[in-house]
Amino acid sequence: MPENPFKRGRYGLLKIIDLTIPITHGMPRFPRYYIPSVELQPTATHEKERRSIHRLVIGTHNGTHIDAPFHMVPDGTRIDEVPLESLIGRAIVIDLSNKEPRAEISSKDLMHASSKIRAHDAVLIRTDWDRMWGRPEYFTDQPYLATDCAEWLIERRIRALGVDFSSVDNPSQVKAGEVPLVHRRLLENSVLIIECLANLRSVTKSTVELISLPLKIVGSDGAPARIVAIE
Ligand SMILES: [Zn+2]
């Protein structure tokens, strides 16, 4: 294979780190009937049509994605209405990679980062749970946030919370037809939620620039996104 001509490790003097899980045909998904399975299949090939085109079927919450307030709030902001200023900017990375499976993350765990967090920052919680991607436990045994953690972040008026696991709420406690409280509290306070981040262990600084761009899907509750950190 020739070297990828697009391959560049740096943006000028800055390092760019991809925090996105790759989108693949049949990729793992949260085991709920309302999360569709991802299909990625060719509709044109170089052999026949002399070009390559694919059909992509994906839910608005598959893989690395952003939740818009409308996900949990009936009259909440839709993903296409979220301003770019809420999607790009400073982010604080909090290392909780010592957390055990099914561990609850409380406001106490975030306290040490308190002085760094400013209004309108994004907060990224690193647990390294993305190492479990591809195993069934990824969706069942993940760490999750306590409600007091959501309240603590809301008080700090952050613009977004990113996590390297599949749901900010405890997946084993959220039943169909019930409101997942951590989601609900964050989204009704205009804190965007970025779920299924990956590779936060590659970030070496505690403050980075975050670029998180969801697909501009009109009226949507969320969208798959490419998320990168620049340090
Ligand atoms: Zn979601």
Side-chain angles (χ1 to χ4, degrees):
M1 284 282 279
E3 213 205 328
N4 184 342
F6 292 108
K7 192 170 163 47
R8 301 273 189 285
R10 285 173 187 278
Y11 173 63
L13 292 171
L14 304 169
K15 188 173 143 202
I16 308 173
I17 301 145
D18 196 345
L19 306 179
T20 319
I21 287 177
I23 294 170
T24 58
H25 181 79
M27 68 195 276
R29 65 189 163 111
F30 203 77
R32 294 285 188 280
Y33 69 88
Y34 45 74
I35 305 288
S37 79
V38 172
E39 295 170 33
L40 179 61
Q41 280 155 329
T43 57
T45 62
H46 287 289
E47 290 67 36
K48 201 165 159 227
E49 287 86 7
R50 308 290 299 265
R51 69 208 68 195
S52 175
I53 295 180
H54 284 73
R55 169 176 176 269
L56 172 64
V57 177
I58 194 165
T60 48
H61 298 257
N62 287 85
T64 306
H65 68 277
I66 302 183
D67 291 355
F70 180 56
H71 182 38
M72 293 296 167
V73 183
D75 59 352
T77 306
R78 317 291 178 111
I79 200 72
D80 58 304
E81 299 166 344
V82 173
L84 290 171
E85 291 76 10
S86 296
L87 299 168
I88 298 175
R90 204 174 96 117
I92 306 299
V93 183
I94 302 181
D95 185 352
L96 300 180
S97 54
N98 56 349
K99 283 281 173 191
E100 300 288 324
R102 295 175 187 247
E104 183 174 82
I105 296 167
S106 77
S107 58
K108 274 196 214 104
D109 294 307
L110 310 182
M111 228 56 108
H112 69 278
S114 183
S115 62
K116 283 189 201 139
I117 301 171
R118 303 196 298 229
H120 205 65
D121 278 347
V123 168
L124 306 177
I125 296 180
R126 169 191 165 191
T127 67
D128 288 346
W129 190 250
D130 58 303
R131 290 186 197 275
M132 302 296 283
W133 179 254
R135 298 206 219 168
E137 310 95 276
Y138 177 82
F139 294 103
T140 54
D141 292 357
Q142 59 151 72
Y144 59 91
L145 267 63
T147 333
D148 84 299
C149 196
E151 301 304 334
W152 191 88
L153 291 165
I154 291 163
E155 277 167 30
R156 270 144 198 86
R157 294 166 45 228
I158 65 166
R159 65 184 157 82
L161 169 69
V163 296
D164 57 4
F165 40 89
S166 67
S167 169
V168 288
D169 278 280
N170 180 352
S172 66
Q173 271 181 7
V174 176
K175 299 182 188 75
E178 283 179 23
V179 175
L181 259 189
V182 177
H183 269 90
R184 171 78 191 219
R185 290 296 296 145
L186 292 170
L187 293 173
E188 71 189 2
N189 286 282
S190 303
V191 178
L192 301 171
I193 304 173
I194 310 171
E195 287 168 325
C196 297
L197 286 171
N199 208 22
L200 278 169
R201 72 193 74 82
S202 299
V203 176
T204 60
K205 301 204 167 111
S206 61
T207 305
V208 294
E209 284 296 308
L210 186 76
I211 299 179
S212 59
L213 294 175
L215 293 177
K216 196 172 182 174
I217 304 169
V218 173
S220 183
D221 39 74
R226 187 74 178 261
I227 318 275
V228 301
I230 301 179
E231 67 171 30

